[in-house]
Amino acid sequence: MALITWTAEQYGTNVGFADQEHQTLFGLLNKLYDDATGGAARATIGASLDALISYVVDHFAHEEKEMVAKGFGGYERHKAEHDALVGICADLQKKFHAGEADVTDEVGQMVKGWLDSHIPTFDKAYSSALQ
């Protein structure tokens, strides 16, 4: 069962690349969540975790590049939000691969909660600047 479902009403920014990348990100998060809560092998979960984090890092870099190019005034605060999540994810990734942490339902819910807050609050704010 999907942890998070993209809808234009809840998550749409009206910025084509961002909406497309968010949908891909949601798919990768759902795969990781399904793997982790469905009893998949640790190696499978690890591969899904790595794929998601790699994609998130690339997506954030793309958003940030576009914000700078368009002179978006909220860039610094937005980037700080990105950096905080990447730090949390990198720590989890390191601990997971060292056998010191697991991807759990709580981890999935934390990421979903971050997205539920971040996209409507921060990403929708750049909509007019990046269109």
Side-chain angles (χ1 to χ4, degrees):
M1 183 173 165
L3 172 67
I4 191 166
T5 301
W6 190 93
T7 64
E9 297 75 28
Q10 187 170 4
Y11 300 109
T13 64
N14 294 315
V15 177
F17 83 86
D19 288 344
Q20 290 172 352
E21 290 178 10
H22 290 155
Q23 290 174 57
T24 299
L25 190 157
F26 283 25
L28 291 168
L29 175 57
N30 285 331
K31 180 175 182 340
L32 172 60
Y33 184 78
D34 288 348
D35 289 347
T37 61
R42 189 169 183 87
T44 300
I45 297 167
S48 294
L49 177 64
D50 293 346
L52 173 62
I53 293 173
S54 176
Y55 191 84
V56 166
V57 168
D58 289 347
H59 166 65
F60 286 174
H62 190 188
E63 276 190 349
E64 291 163 10
K65 177 183 164 200
E66 295 296 326
M67 284 186 261
V68 169
K70 302 284 173 114
F72 177 62
Y75 168 76
E76 291 296 333
R77 187 163 174 237
H78 200 127
K79 183 169 178 11
E81 283 277 309
H82 287 172
D83 291 348
L85 182 66
V86 168
I88 291 167
C89 290
D91 186 56
L92 172 63
Q93 186 177 34
K94 178 181 169 187
K95 288 179 177 174
F96 179 86
H97 288 297
E100 299 168 1
D102 292 312
V103 177
T104 62
D105 177 64
E106 291 77 20
V107 169
Q109 295 298 333
M110 183 276 297
V111 176
K112 179 186 182 302
W114 190 91
L115 291 167
D116 284 345
S117 171
H118 179 82
I119 294 173
T121 303
F122 287 89
D123 290 355
K124 286 188 178 189
Y126 66 48
S127 180
S128 60
L130 269 57
Q131 285 181 358

